[in-house]
Amino acid sequence: MFANTATRYGSIARFFHWAIALLVLVDIALGVLGKFIPRTGDTVDVLQILYSTHKTIGVTVLLLAVLRVAWAFSQPRPTPLHPTRAVETFAAETAHWVLYASIFVLPLSGWVMHSAEVGFAPIWWPFGQNLPFVPKSEDLAHTAANVHWAAGIVLAATVAAHIGGALKHSMVDRDATLARMWRGTDAGDPKFGGAAHRAPAGVALLIWGVTLGGALTVFAPSNHDEATLQTPSTQTGGWVVQDGTISITVMQIGAPVTGTFANWQAEIEYDTDSGTGAVNALIETASVTLGSVTDQAKGPEFFDVQTFGQATFAGDITQVDGGAHTVVGTLTLVGQTLPVTLDFDLVIADGVAEMSGTTTLDRRDFGMGAAYPDETSVGFSVEVLIVLTAAQPD
Ligand code: HEM
Ligand code: HEM
């Protein structure tokens, strides 16, 4: 009943198969959906729920996978139904091994990515968020994301072939392959013994070796700081920044200190007719200067530039009235992604746009300066001032 025999899957193996199959398919759908939702101030709540669900399901898959493999080790594998069709049996066995590995590689790479980042979309469970021995590091998170992505493609392709095979058996061959896994039907001739495991397992190992090797080397950017923004395209109302300053002002022992970021880039699309557009900015946090406290600002308490080399901002521009505009978006700073609204004035004359805008952030929202819990030495508010000129290339 519970256990497998040489000719049937027991209820425990079938429970593991279908529970994990369902969770994996839902998680692929959520992961892909997440890629299509733009990251703006309006979508940040939905994304948070989507990714928390995705991560919680993924961790559940991992726990079930451990139990499933422990159980499978204690069980006979039912004999192949068509042992004489050597190629088909080999392909099916290989797919099973690839799938077995995927239910570890996907959740583990996802979890490493989650542990290496700071705090967005928690796993909904009480057992802690972070894996031991995984440091907070943007580069590591990026590498794990590459592995997760490549593994997702291998998984999706294998699942498609696996489902295709199951459907072929039930619709073309009209045999008991699907019924054996679905209802626990007894089928097959035990005198053939189990399928050959070694060679298909070897091929599956090779597939994973190439996938992981590729994700870790060829496709992995060596350094996150090399990320750049694309040049805006003129067809879509792209503006090229000519000059500008991003400055921040914070109260230090009751007196304002102002500093700037030397390195940043922005990709701006703006349609003068509709007064709408979008902005994408990348700020190198290590380029900050803040008077005599520059080193402290770069240190782990504040911008933590060793771990988080970049801050990013992406948002949508809307015209409020005349030159008054607002951009609503999300700012990712020290690994925290939060909605931010920036009001700015825009004056366009002779194809040159002059923009000047401000917003106020609270350093506590980003977990900055936890060792300064009151405002005696460092204020909570950080005034951000952005002034730039941009032109539309002809
Ligand atoms: C609608 C989706 C699916 C269908 C119709 C399906 C169908 C089947 C069938 C009919 C078998 C038995 C094959 C045989 O006896 O030779 C099987 C085995 C297997 N399936 Fe699926 N499957 C589905 C999704 C998945 C997913 C998403 C995974 C894993 C991520 C998976 C992993 C496996 C594994 C590892 C086996 C080998 C049997 C074992 O040791 O448990 N399947 N599947
Ligand atoms: C069965 C387990 C899982 C499957 C099948 C799966 C699948 C996917 C897929 C297909 C994507 C979209 C493609 C991509 O960007 O990589 C994705 C994205 C993502 N997954 Fe998973 N995942 C699983 C488990 C997890 C777990 C356990 C976590 C974290 C604890 C996680 C975190 C993420 C994150 C943060 C993204 C977005 C990546 C980005 O935007 O770069 N996943 N996942």
Side-chain angles (χ1 to χ4, degrees), residues 225-257:
D225 286 342
E226 283 165 18
T228 50
L229 291 167
Q230 286 162 3
T231 313
S233 99
T234 41
Q235 275 86 6
T236 53
W239 291 77
V240 176
V241 175
Q242 316 278 294
D243 195 357
T245 316
I246 298 182
S247 52
I248 51 171
T249 302
V250 60
M251 297 300 277
Q252 197 209 352
I253 326 173
V257 202

Side-chain angles (χ1 to χ4, degrees), residues 9 17-18 21 68 77 96 99-100 162-163 177 180-181:
Y9 285 104
H17 176 270
W18 292 111
R68 179 179 186 179
R77 298 282 297 280
H96 294 166
L99 292 173
Y100 262 125
H162 180 72
I163 295 177
T177 306
R180 207 160 67 150
M181 187 47 100

